[in-house]
Amino acid sequence: MDHENAARRRVGIKDVAREADVSLGTVSNVLNRPELVAAPTRARVLAVIDSLGYVRTEGARQLHGWAARVLAVLVPDLAHPFFTALAIGVEQAAREADLGVMVCTGTRDLEEQARHLSLITSHRIRGAVLTSGEAVGRTVAAFQRNAVPFVVADQYGPQPGACSVGIDDVAGGHAAVRHLIDQGHRSIVYVSGPDLQQARNRRKGAVTAVTQAGLQLTALRELACADLTVGAGKDAGHRILGLPHRPSAVFCANDLLALGVLQALYEAGLKVPEDLAVVGYDDIEFAASAVVPLTSVRRPAVAMGRQAGRLLVEETTRGADHEHAHVVLQPELVVRRSTLAVPAR
């Protein structure tokens, strides 16, 4: 889809109002003063905006020269160190090309997604790096409808019609559990988060490590969490301590969960790794500085962001001569004290 044809197909505010069966003023308030609109009406208008792919274009002419020098990066939450590092990588790639970066957060929320797309398109931002997650399909479709160049980062497979950069999380899960097995562990709990492809791939690698070692699948149990936070990990740690057959090791879907598990174990007076070994995932900065330095699978977040940014710069520079690529980066197991002991039992 070229930009000229996409522009001809763009819908206007009247189309949104007609489809949502509201006034033009209501649509304007949803976009500019949403607190004035009742929640059900606001949700209906936002759903129509999403389905039609409407974006505002006011101010584009005045801002075009500035915004053409800016890339956007959309992340769920900058409070998570992984996404902060990824954004830093995008910024490094942008700096190499003498470009700036605009960071948008809260991308798992439908209303925030609509706002970000409207801002990016109306200001003629050069292109965007999208981070993978539950809503990445919806976001990709919206960007494609509006002919906004994009690259998907943390993508577990090739993205049709676009560049993507991912990490082999199957290999990462395999490395984590293979390490625990090599340390003598035969009863392991995998603390997973929400139902994301990345977490499923890590579990897939963990299961492969168990079967390749000749162990029964019962050697690996899964404990699901609703979030990937320290608080959720601490709750998981308490749940593990209450199991009738306590494992000797825990593999967590990310480091925040693992740090929460460590807190629960510390409060219960248990020793790590003598009583329970713990492995995290991501190798965020806090992993090495934990009370018990955390063994973790390092995902090269900065390198991922830098690669995604470079692909986006190349696409927006070369245009039709650009060929889409899917880059897969390899994780690295970083062994620290949280696993370096064989359990006594």
Side-chain angles (χ1 to χ4, degrees), residues 20-250:
D21 193 24
V22 297
S23 68
L24 293 176
T26 297
V27 177
S28 177
N29 281 337
V30 169
L31 293 170
N32 299 292
R33 303 178 69 187
E35 69 279 1
L36 298 181
V37 184
T41 303
R42 186 169 67 243
R44 185 168 77 253
V45 172
L46 286 171
V48 171
I49 287 173
D50 181 62
S51 65
L52 295 182
Y54 167 76
V55 291
R56 291 174 288 181
T57 58
E58 59 266 29
R61 183 174 301 171
Q62 295 89 332
L63 291 168
H64 179 76
W66 168 80
R69 307 298 303 170
V70 175
L71 304 179
V73 54
L74 280 67
V75 298
D77 185 2
L78 277 179
H80 193 301
F82 175 81
F83 293 113
T84 302
L86 189 149
I88 289 172
V90 176
E91 194 277 333
Q92 290 177 355
R95 192 187 314 135
E96 292 172 357
D98 195 26
L99 302 174
V101 168
M102 176 179 72
V103 180
C104 302
T105 62
T107 55
R108 288 177 179 149
D109 179 81
L110 178 61
E111 188 169 344
E112 285 302 307
Q113 284 184 21
R115 291 182 188 281
H116 295 327
L117 179 59
S118 178
L119 178 66
I120 288 168
T121 309
S122 64
H123 290 177
R124 297 295 191 266
I125 299 300
R126 185 180 183 121
V129 173
L130 313 178
T131 52
S132 185
E134 305 98 323
V136 70
R138 184 196 303 271
T139 307
V140 163
F143 274 70
Q144 288 174 330
R145 282 197 304 269
N146 290 279
V148 178
F150 66 90
V151 173
V152 178
D154 199 17
Q155 174 76 13
Y156 52 86
Q159 174 64 51
C163 288
S164 56
V165 184
I167 291 177
D168 189 346
D169 283 315
V170 175
H174 182 279
V177 173
R178 179 75 244 186
H179 168 68
L180 290 173
I181 292 172
D182 288 344
Q183 290 295 303
H185 298 282
R186 297 297 182 266
S187 178
I188 303 167
V189 164
Y190 173 48
V191 177
S192 63
D195 187 29
L196 297 173
Q197 184 65 47
Q198 291 89 336
R200 293 195 296 271
N201 283 346
R202 291 163 204 173
R203 183 185 185 279
K204 181 179 180 180
V207 169
T208 301
V210 168
T211 56
Q212 286 181 350
L215 302 176
Q216 297 294 319
L217 288 179
T218 53
L220 181 71
R221 290 173 281 172
E222 184 171 2
L223 189 66
C225 296
D227 299 302
L228 292 165
T229 62
V230 173
K234 188 172 181 180
D235 177 69
H238 291 309
R239 291 156 63 192
I240 289 169
L241 293 176
L243 291 174
H245 302 288
R246 187 192 300 168
S248 64
V250 179

